[in-house]
Amino acid sequence: MAVQVDGNRADAAIAEIERVWHLCAGTDHDGADARVFVTHDDSSETGADLDAGVVTGSVLPDLMQLITQAVTRAAIDAQKGRVVMLHAAGIQSPETGAVVALVGPGGTGKTTLVRTLGVGRGYVSDETVAVTADDTVLPYPKPLSVRREPAGPWKDETDPLELGVLAPAPQATLAAIVLLDRQDGYAGPPAVEQIPTLDAIAALTPETSHLPEMEKPMQRMAALCDGVGGVMRVTYREAEHLAPLLDGWLETGA
Amino acid sequence: MRARRVPVHDEVVRDGESVVLLGRQVIRLSAIGTTLLELTGDWRDVDELTVDLTDRFGHPPTGHSATEMTEAALQALQQQGLVELG
């Protein structure tokens, strides 16, 4: 993945990208399998064409949010057919490299989970957990998108390390898959249930990207579920309520 | 009524039940739905299918028609895009 920046304020955009995206930084620009084109200048209106991977804008914080969307989209598209991509927050044990994927659609609160439960642990992603055929997790430690106002549309792209999480350890292996069922009206401690594999596949598949483009996608999902000892669903209200469960998921998987 | 399954992208069968991927849609199937797909690789008449189903799952409770239940199951599969009816 390469991000190409131009415009008369390109230097400012590059500096900000390097600051908040440093956990994803690579060196092989020529070998990039996807590109996003950014223009940051005084006159560009804020906007993005995610299909084309083009982002423009004069207001840097707004531009940064759109860059995150464009890079995420391009990265996901570039991995099409290669790996299983779960809509999930990924949190890692810094000692063992074990990763728990907390799966939920947008709006579930995956970023909040990372900020709440990920402090002192490896930050794999707050967006997509990508898993290879041998259950290795490919980290995507993008900036954490922190909402500027509680109900507002704009978010500030934040260096994850500022929020207390750790860089992901290089050896990342999937240890557990947990389906998130956050309910505002739920009271009591989190309720955890094991989901039969077929039901887990049916529940997880809508929370994937490009799964049908994989070879034997249902069988791959079955192997993924079996590989972690089965999938769990957790019903809860507040992210911090899951803290007592996280260590168990990271230590033993399901 | 006759029925024939349509090709699906992929499927997993466990303990007689299954999950199938048709296009971009994932569908969870009961044992009867899974069996009907298994039996309709080529065109099959509903009466034949009813015999096969009752052989495997037994006869329905008194007052229920096995043929009508088979037809209903096939129509449900058709609505999900998994079989064609002729």
Side-chain angles (χ1 to χ4, degrees), chain A residues 193-212:
Chain A
E193 61 174 327
Q194 190 93 18
I195 310 174
T197 296
L198 295 181
D199 294 332
I201 295 169
L204 286 171
T205 297
E207 303 307 330
T208 59
S209 298
H210 293 304
L211 187 69

Side-chain angles (χ1 to χ4, degrees), chain A residues 66-132:
Chain A
L66 295 176
I67 290 172
T68 296
Q69 294 173 10
V71 169
T72 298
R73 166 72 178 278
I76 286 172
D77 287 351
Q79 292 293 342
K80 179 168 56 180
R82 299 181 187 173
V83 296
V84 174
M85 292 180 276
L86 299 167
H87 301 161
I91 297 176
Q92 184 185 40
S93 163
E95 290 84 21
T96 66
V99 173
V100 56
L102 303 163
V103 181
T108 303
K110 295 192 289 290
T111 303
T112 302
L113 282 171
V114 168
R115 293 180 63 186
T116 306
L117 307 177
V119 173
R121 297 188 172 100
Y123 165 53
V124 173
S125 182
D126 72 338
E127 161 70 35
T128 294
V129 171
V131 190
T132 68

Side-chain angles (χ1 to χ4, degrees), chain A residues 99-198:
Chain A
V99 173
V100 56
L102 303 163
V103 181
T108 303
K110 295 192 289 290
T111 303
T112 302
L113 282 171
V114 168
R115 293 180 63 186
T116 306
L117 307 177
V119 173
R121 297 188 172 100
Y123 165 53
V124 173
S125 182
D126 72 338
E127 161 70 35
T128 294
V129 171
V131 190
T132 68
D134 65 355
D135 288 349
T136 297
V137 174
L138 305 179
Y140 179 47
K142 58 180 271 297
L144 286 165
S145 306
V146 179
R147 209 173 285 282
R148 288 180 208 165
E149 299 164 10
W154 290 101
K155 300 177 181 180
D156 284 324
E157 302 307 299
T158 307
D159 172 8
L161 300 189
E162 287 181 14
L163 299 171
V165 302
L166 306 177
Q171 298 297 324
T173 304
L174 192 65
I177 301 173
V178 180
L179 268 162
L180 301 171
D181 177 24
R182 184 171 68 83
Q183 298 182 10
D184 287 336
Y186 182 79
V192 181
E193 61 174 327
Q194 190 93 18
I195 310 174
T197 296
L198 295 181

Side-chain angles (χ1 to χ4, degrees), chain A residues 197-199 201-202 205-206 210-214 216-219 222 226, chain B residues 9-14 17-21 23-29:
Chain A
T197 296
L198 295 181
D199 294 332
I201 295 169
T205 297
H210 293 304
L211 187 69
E213 283 88 341
M214 293 198 75
K216 301 288 184 187
M218 294 291 95
Q219 294 177 45
D226 293 343
Chain B
H9 193 152
D10 191 22
E11 62 189 320
V12 172
V13 179
R14 295 271 173 99
E17 301 185 7
S18 64
V19 61
V20 304
L21 187 67
R24 308 192 77 81
Q25 184 186 8
V26 62
I27 302 167
R28 176 79 165 86
L29 291 176

Side-chain angles (χ1 to χ4, degrees), chain A residues 2-22:
Chain A
V3 179
Q4 184 174 319
V5 186
D6 63 18
N8 64 6
R9 290 161 64 181
D11 287 350
I14 291 168
E16 185 64 2
I17 291 168
E18 289 178 342
R19 189 180 74 79
V20 300
W21 280 90
H22 65 100

